[in-house]
Structures are given as C-alpha cells and as structure tokens.
Amino acid sequence: MNTLTYKGFIGSVSFSEKDNIFFGKIEGINALVNFEGESVSGLKSAFHEAVNDYITYCEEEGIPAHKSYSGSLNVRISPETHNRIAVLAKRAGISINAFIKEVLDKQVAAML
C-alpha cells in the first residue's frame, strides 16, 4: 500500500484509472476522512488539508485524534515458531509474553 505521512497521520493512496484521480483516506482514526487530487502534489495538498481539518474538528469536539488501542494483540503463528519462542523465553528466564513484547519493541524502535 502506498502512503503519505503528515503530523503523525498516515494516509492511504490509490489511483482510479477510470476517473483519472488519486484518492485516499486517513488511516488509524475513529472516523472516515477521505481526500483526492488530480496530481501527486494535489493529493499531498488535499491530504494535508484533510489532516488539519480533522485535527481542528477533534480539538473543537474534545475527542482524541488518533485511534486508541488496548495493548492486547492476538497473533496466530505456526506451532513450530511458538515452540521456538517458548524455548528462547525459557532460556532468557522470562515469560513468552515478555519475550514477544521485548522482540517487538526492539524491532519497532529499529524501524522508526
């Protein structure tokens, strides 16, 4: 998926060949906010305007701008990977949950 970023928000990017237009929506929010443009620069401008308008709306309504997450995540993995994680967690002297959290935290930090 192609994306744009602005002020900590991510916008998806698609192209309609039929309509000859770029379009997208702001991701990771509790609303549906779309934007479109006839060129890349037009799309970027529309995205920035949509984000700014959305931030203003959230401030006026006293609602959080970003979607909140519970911090609980269910992930399906193969039994073999589950076994390897259990072994590595045991060696490290921590729970499987703590091991996975540590690995994810390191990977996410490396990607930012």
Side-chain angles (χ1 to χ4, degrees):
M1 173 192 301
N2 293 316
T3 61
L4 296 170
T5 57
Y6 177 65
K7 292 187 175 179
F9 290 88
I10 297 173
S12 61
V13 176
S14 297
F15 178 73
S16 170
E17 187 174 0
K18 177 185 170 200
D19 300 320
N20 198 38
I21 197 160
F22 293 100
F23 64 95
K25 69 177 185 168
I26 301 175
E27 302 289 340
I29 62 175
N30 290 320
L32 178 59
V33 179
N34 297 311
F35 53 93
E36 63 182 48
E38 294 181 2
S39 65
V40 173
S41 62
L43 182 72
K44 285 182 181 179
S45 293
F47 173 57
H48 291 187
E49 184 177 332
V51 167
N52 290 333
D53 289 348
Y54 176 69
I55 290 170
T56 299
Y57 168 78
C58 290
E59 289 171 351
E60 289 172 354
E61 296 296 318
I63 58 175
H66 290 276
K67 186 176 187 176
S68 63
Y69 293 90
S70 68
S72 177
L73 177 66
N74 295 319
V75 179
R76 299 199 191 297
I77 57 176
S78 71
E80 295 81 13
T81 299
H82 193 167
N83 182 57
R84 284 184 245 150
I85 290 170
V87 169
L88 292 169
K90 184 64 86 175
R91 284 184 192 162
I94 58 178
S95 69
I96 290 174
N97 190 71
F99 179 83
I100 292 171
K101 181 186 178 310
E102 188 176 298
V103 169
L104 288 174
D105 286 346
K106 286 179 184 175
Q107 183 65 33
V108 169
M111 295 178 76
L112 293 177

